[in-house]
Amino acid sequence: MLPLRFAFASLLLTLCSATSHLARDLKVHASRSAAPAAFTEVGPASPEQTLTLRFALDQNDPNGLIDALYSVSDPESPTYQQWLSKDQVAQFVAPKADAVDAVNAWLKENDLTAISSSAAGDWISFEVPVGKANELFGTEFNVFAHKESGKEVVRTLSYSLPASLQQHVDLVHPTITFPDLKLESSPTKSKRFIHDVRVPEKRWNTDIDANSTVCTQGTIPACLQELYHIPSKPVKNNVTLGVTVFYGNEPHYPYLTTFLERYRTDIDASKTNYTFVGWDGGKDVPNPYSVIEGDLDIQYTVGVATGAYVISYTEGNNVTDGVSGFLDEALFLAALNDTELPQVLSTSYAHFENNWDFDITNKICQVYAQLSARGSSLIFATGDDGAGCDFINNTTDFIPNFPATCPYITAVGGTSGYYPQVGWTGSSGGFSNYFARPPYQEAAVSTYLHKISHHDPNAGRYNASGRAIPDVAVKADNYTVYDAGYWAQVYGTSAACPVFASIVTLLNDRLVSAGRHRLGFLNPWLYAKGAGAFADIAAGYSSVSCSDGDPTRILNATAGWDPVTGLGTPDFDRLLKAVGL
Ligand SMILES: *[C@@H]1O[C@H](CO)[C@@H](O)[C@H](O)[C@H]1NC(C)=O
Ligand SMILES: *[C@@H]1O[C@H](CO)[C@@H](O)[C@H](O)[C@H]1NC(C)=O
Ligand SMILES: *[C@@H]1O[C@H](CO)[C@@H](O)[C@H](O)[C@H]1NC(C)=O
Ligand SMILES: *[C@@H]1O[C@H](CO)[C@@H](O)[C@H](O)[C@H]1NC(C)=O
Ligand SMILES: *[C@@H]1O[C@H](CO)[C@@H](O)[C@H](O)[C@H]1NC(C)=O
Ligand SMILES: *[C@@H]1O[C@H](CO)[C@@H](O)[C@H](O)[C@H]1NC(C)=O
Ligand SMILES: *[C@@H]1O[C@H](CO)[C@@H](O)[C@H](O)[C@H]1NC(C)=O
Ligand SMILES: *[C@@H]1O[C@H](CO)[C@@H](O)[C@H](O)[C@H]1NC(C)=O
Ligand SMILES: *[C@@H]1O[C@H](CO)[C@@H](O)[C@H](O)[C@H]1NC(C)=O
Ligand SMILES: *[C@@H]1O[C@H](CO)[C@@H](O)[C@H](O)[C@H]1NC(C)=O
């Protein structure tokens, strides 16, 4: 973790004088036309104000990392499941030697001190006053106020790099990327008290249990176990399952106990727990306010992945990554050693892909590729916004959510009901404008596109060549969660995501018992061999109204892959067969 190479490499260099460079060798490196609509410009930032800026350095072989990821994740590959070690990943993503030299020389010349922000040394950060930053990057940092919250941020619309850095620094951050303060300030899901739970009239006549009424109690662990044949017996191995905790959504230990005492009477709640790991100053202190996301995520991992080692990865107040903690959490995990890295990670957070510019989004996605290459199964919720809204450019385009659109993770959408399940109206899905469609889903997605091409009322509103989400779906409605003294019912792909992550964890346990490798990055296997283990959801639709004078955006679930429910809902017994158990 220590930035040794930065401490020593610069000593070898002959340095030019410390006088500041003339603007003549500066060249615009990145720009945007305007601030997002959610912000207004207040005026120039004070020259004395200190900024913490980061450089992403030119990496040794970023394409090689992606090739290596696919070769360990493709079931047809001879190196399938031979995960990379942390050191092997570092060989791909460490900065090139000449990039390190150039950056060290520039730092020294400008009297700046770097600290490493990533284990591989490909990110460094440094503090610099606004006035000096304006000069160094040929820019003007301004104060922008978030209209809704009034919160102010210092950003610019364009910056330049000197000739000596242009080939060596991929980006300077945070500069033109604005934070998604809406996401940080409104963490709660819709919730309500349980009352008047009715027995639905319509039942699905299937071989599961046509007469069961367990799901009429709401979506509880027993309902999920029945729907997806999830085993209730404790795991036999120390399989690990991480849960991302952002924005003060810390879970509460006693609420978990209350939840388990009521809904997992078959296990000893007094001996069942999760552990805590903080990053960026994260503390094991539950939020005194009721913010339900963390409790939902913990209750539906500990409560479904029976006996697994569940870790709450909790964000603190020291986040300076400018992207709501996503970059810092990913870099924190990438710095863990191979035994500490969670085997599965559930993240129930998402934001519209175009909130952040491509370059930083792509960098975050690449850190996910690093974790996936090391054998972690990263599971993300697709979001609760259907086809999505364009709050940045105020167009009628569909905007999917990131990180779900990253091709190196598994994206979970939502269904509703039980016998039958149909596409959930909130289930986010669609096509990335940033990431091209990966080969593993080419057949499934082009079949869908071909099918709707004859009559597509949405044509032109999405980018059909993009990475398509979701990959899979899980029931997303009516989850019963214990929170602050009451039982709440909540909805969302936030709920579906930890359940799918739990299923993957339970599969990992069976695989380990059989002397096999854990699953790792799922998607190449999922589309090639796993699809048959999912019940196709061909009814229902997603729908979202974007309050911009735009008509409601609707996407239909269809036979085969679709942008509401992906490949469908999992069946544990069939998944066991699909992995050869
Ligand atoms: C459901 O209940 C009905 C009536 O009690 C019974 O005839 C039928 O066999 C049950 N079906 C199943 C699948 O258990
Ligand atoms: C779970 O761990 C926390 C933190 O160590 C502790 O306060 C709590 O009592 C534990 N709960 C159970 C049921 O063991
Ligand atoms: C958070 O950042 C502050 C200021 O940089 C520092 O003093 C403090 O030690 C950090 N806290 C943790 C827990 O990392
Ligand atoms: C991994 O890190 C943990 C905690 O820092 C340490 O106890 C353990 O020895 C490390 N394992 C390896 C293989 O480096
Ligand atoms: C299970 O694995 C976690 C993470 O590697 C480790 O911290 C913990 O000590 C292990 N538990 C047991 C019982 O081995
Ligand atoms: C939004 O508009 C800007 C130009 O104003 C353009 O560069 C960008 O691609 C647009 N984004 C989307 C998602 O259309
Ligand atoms: C959700 O639960 C409510 C009762 O709490 C029930 O009226 C409704 O039918 C349920 N919805 C589904 C889709 O199961
Ligand atoms: C469409 O997606 C591709 C990636 O698949 C991207 O290169 C292209 O810029 C996108 N087009 C628009 C208009 O967003
Ligand atoms: C977005 O566009 C719609 C339709 O053109 C318009 O009615 C609305 O006022 C615009 N919203 C913003 C925030 O610019
Ligand atoms: C969704 O299905 C409805 C009913 O079959 C149809 O009218 C509508 O055009 C479909 N929408 C899309 C986007 O395919």
Side-chain angles (χ1 to χ4, degrees), residues 452 455-458 554-556:
I452 63 160
H455 169 70
D456 183 5
N458 300 317
I554 292 179
L555 293 170
N556 288 333

Side-chain angles (χ1 to χ4, degrees), residues 192-201 203 213-220 223 262-263 418 475 477-481 487-491:
R192 60 186 177 80
F193 296 98
I194 293 180
H195 56 87
D196 188 26
V197 178
R198 292 179 298 116
V199 179
E201 291 153 26
R203 299 237 184 95
T213 55
V214 65
C215 289
T216 60
Q217 300 168 54
T219 308
I220 56 175
C223 167
R262 174 152 172 185
Y263 288 117
Y418 34 104
K475 185 167 169 55
D477 62 343
N478 281 5
Y479 276 67
T480 303
V481 177
W487 294 94
Q489 273 202 335
V490 301
Y491 301 75

Side-chain angles (χ1 to χ4, degrees), residues 221-222 225 232 257-269 272 303:
Q225 287 164 347
S232 59
T257 304
T258 304
F259 177 83
L260 296 173
E261 280 169 348
R262 174 152 172 185
Y263 288 117
R264 288 305 306 270
T265 50
D266 56 324
I267 62 178
D268 185 348
T272 309

Side-chain angles (χ1 to χ4, degrees), residues 447-458:
T447 301
Y448 166 80
L449 289 168
H450 181 73
K451 190 169 46 197
I452 63 160
S453 64
H454 310 293
H455 169 70
D456 183 5
N458 300 317

